[in-house]
Amino acid sequence: MGHASAGQITDVRATYLLPLRWSDDRDLAELTAYLAGMPEWAEVIVVDGSPEPLFEQHAAAWGLLGRHLRPDPALVTPMGKVGGVLTGIREAATEAIVIADDDVRYDEPALARAVSLLGLADCVRPQNYFDPLPWHARWDTARTLLNRSLGRDFPGTLAVRRSSLLAAGGYDGDVIFENLELMRTISAAGGSVLSQLDLYVPRRPPSTEHFLSQRVRQAYDDFAIPARMAVWLAALPALTLALSRGRRREATAAAAVSIALAELGRRRAGGQRVFPATASLFAPLWILERAACSWLAVRDRLTRGGIPYGDDVVPRAASSMRRLRGRFANGSRPAGRDGLPAGGAEADQLVGSVAERLPARGTAAA
């Protein structure tokens, strides 16, 4: 991204918050180069739960690029990323905060736009896409396209107002679908979430090994969206029944519909600029994968009490809106959030004159 220069936005103020926990440093050089390119108007905070000596190596690499911190023990959660986010939220010096996984790669215009959109909402939900595109990234892009065709995708990055998240008391860290938990918490507390389908932010694809290891964990996320989970659990028995009765045309038609839906998602909001047409063809295969892995997720819930995550087992996918609204109606805070300062009204000074040119915040699409 480089530092601010003539013609670039120079009146934005924001914190780039990166929570991570690494077991190896294979991507250290690439991530360091990315962080070194952050614009001067963005404060960088890396909350690092990596073991020694990796933490010390990261401190040497990133110490001059921003703040490099350990997660606060008072904020540690079973879903470790949440403890890192809450530590960074507490330490941030700005109202506008961009939370990003370690594989997310903003350029400066996208970062500035995400921050500027916080003049409209309490939380902004960009759209990720994979770059580069090995076979498994194209496969997983089918999930993104189907989500876009029926609503909105779930990215690995969010922009939030610090005061809004503090006023909500943070968000629960005993869930595996942590970004959905954050968005629902903001909404249940009376805030607004803006899903910006044309705010495209690249992310690096995982290794093939990591991709395969995440199939059941990602399927477990859909326990947070019961209607979706019911569809996936019904899909495999329905396909088996149709094929056993010789109704291959019905199965072929269902595959064609899934491809058409994915293509609809690809074309929404100019998505064909970043999503390849071949990704739509993977939709039937992704649906079969999710249908099978959903049953494995049920197995884990019944036999393990949750989904394995690191050294822990995380029991819940995410809180329901009903549960969260009930919490705020009772005036309670999420458990274990005593390390956070109380939220309060902050001056609406997000991005200087950028925010001043935007209309007043109002309810945005969740």
Side-chain angles (χ1 to χ4, degrees):
M1 273 177 275
H3 296 300
S5 61
Q8 294 179 320
I9 295 172
T10 58
D11 52 0
V12 179
R13 296 185 300 276
T15 297
Y16 189 87
L17 172 54
L18 172 58
L20 58 77
R21 178 183 172 85
W22 282 3
S23 58
D24 64 68
D25 269 353
R26 71 183 72 177
D27 296 321
L28 178 60
E30 195 272 338
L31 180 59
T32 300
Y34 170 66
L35 294 177
M38 281 287 157
E40 291 180 346
W41 50 261
E43 169 195 37
V44 175
I45 296 179
V46 180
V47 184
D48 188 355
S50 304
E52 301 287 356
L54 295 181
F55 181 86
E56 294 303 325
Q57 294 172 7
H58 299 166
W62 303 330
L64 297 179
L65 304 178
R67 300 180 65 191
H68 178 244
L69 311 171
R70 281 285 191 192
D72 187 332
L75 298 172
V76 169
T77 58
M79 205 311 164
K81 175 183 171 182
V82 175
V85 169
L86 295 177
T87 299
I89 291 287
R90 187 189 63 187
E91 297 295 324
T94 68
E95 168 72 341
I97 300 177
V98 176
I99 304 165
D101 291 345
D102 60 9
D103 58 358
V104 171
R105 297 293 180 268
Y106 279 89
D107 60 19
E108 184 169 4
L111 188 63
R113 188 177 177 210
V115 172
S116 298
L117 286 170
L118 287 172
L120 299 173
D122 299 279
C123 177
V124 175
R125 178 185 190 175
Q127 173 65 67
N128 280 141
Y129 66 94
F130 287 116
D131 182 25
L133 275 165
W135 72 267
H136 59 279
R138 291 177 189 268
W139 180 298
D140 206 34
T141 296
R143 167 190 56 81
T144 294
L145 301 183
L146 290 169
N147 283 338
R148 283 169 61 87
S149 71
L150 300 173
R152 303 160 189 88
D153 190 32
F154 299 97
T157 178
L158 296 170
V160 298
R161 284 175 166 258
R162 181 176 185 270
S163 60
S164 298
L165 193 52
L166 290 178
Y171 62 115
D172 277 338
D174 63 345
V175 300
I176 200 68
F177 203 167
E178 81 290 343
N179 277 354
L180 179 60
E181 182 76 11
L182 190 157
M183 290 187 287
R184 284 182 173 176
T185 299
I186 292 289
S187 295
S192 56
V193 179
L194 175 64
S195 299
Q196 197 68 29
L197 286 175
D198 66 347
L199 177 51
Y200 295 110
V201 180
R203 68 186 308 176
R204 298 292 182 258
S207 66
T208 303
E209 179 184 7
H210 186 71
F211 167 78
L212 294 174
S213 72
Q214 294 294 298
R215 297 305 86 211
V216 177
R217 192 209 67 73
Q218 289 188 7
Y220 199 93
D221 288 347
D222 280 333
F223 277 117
I225 311 173
R228 281 172 52 133
M229 179 59 92
V231 169
W232 303 137
L233 292 175
L236 209 54
L239 176 62
T240 302
L241 181 62
L243 293 177
S244 68
R245 295 182 177 181
R247 299 204 299 262
R248 290 182 173 82
R249 289 184 179 179
E250 294 180 12
T252 302
V257 168
S258 72
I259 293 172
L261 281 173
E263 184 61 17
L264 175 63
R266 189 178 80 90
R267 293 171 182 247
R268 285 188 74 188
Q272 60 267 41
R273 292 190 294 108
V274 297
F275 299 119
T278 53
S280 297
L281 301 177
F282 282 88
L285 296 174
W286 182 85
I287 289 173
L288 286 175
E289 173 225 302
R290 179 52 56 94
C293 289
S294 293
W295 283 103
L296 296 177
V298 170
R299 175 207 63 189
D300 283 347
R301 188 164 188 170
L302 293 176
T303 61
R304 299 180 176 181
I307 191 72
Y309 178 80
D311 297 329
D312 294 311
V313 172
V314 179
R316 298 191 296 128
S319 303
S320 67
M321 286 298 295
R322 180 178 180 180
R323 173 176 177 159
L324 290 170
R325 289 188 181 114
R327 171 190 298 160
F328 289 113
N330 294 331
S332 60
R333 290 162 62 91
R337 298 288 75 83
D338 294 337
L340 280 179
E346 289 194 15
D348 208 8
Q349 299 289 325
L350 279 175
V351 292
S353 59
V354 175
E356 291 168 10
R357 293 196 297 269
L358 292 169
R361 285 191 300 149
T363 302

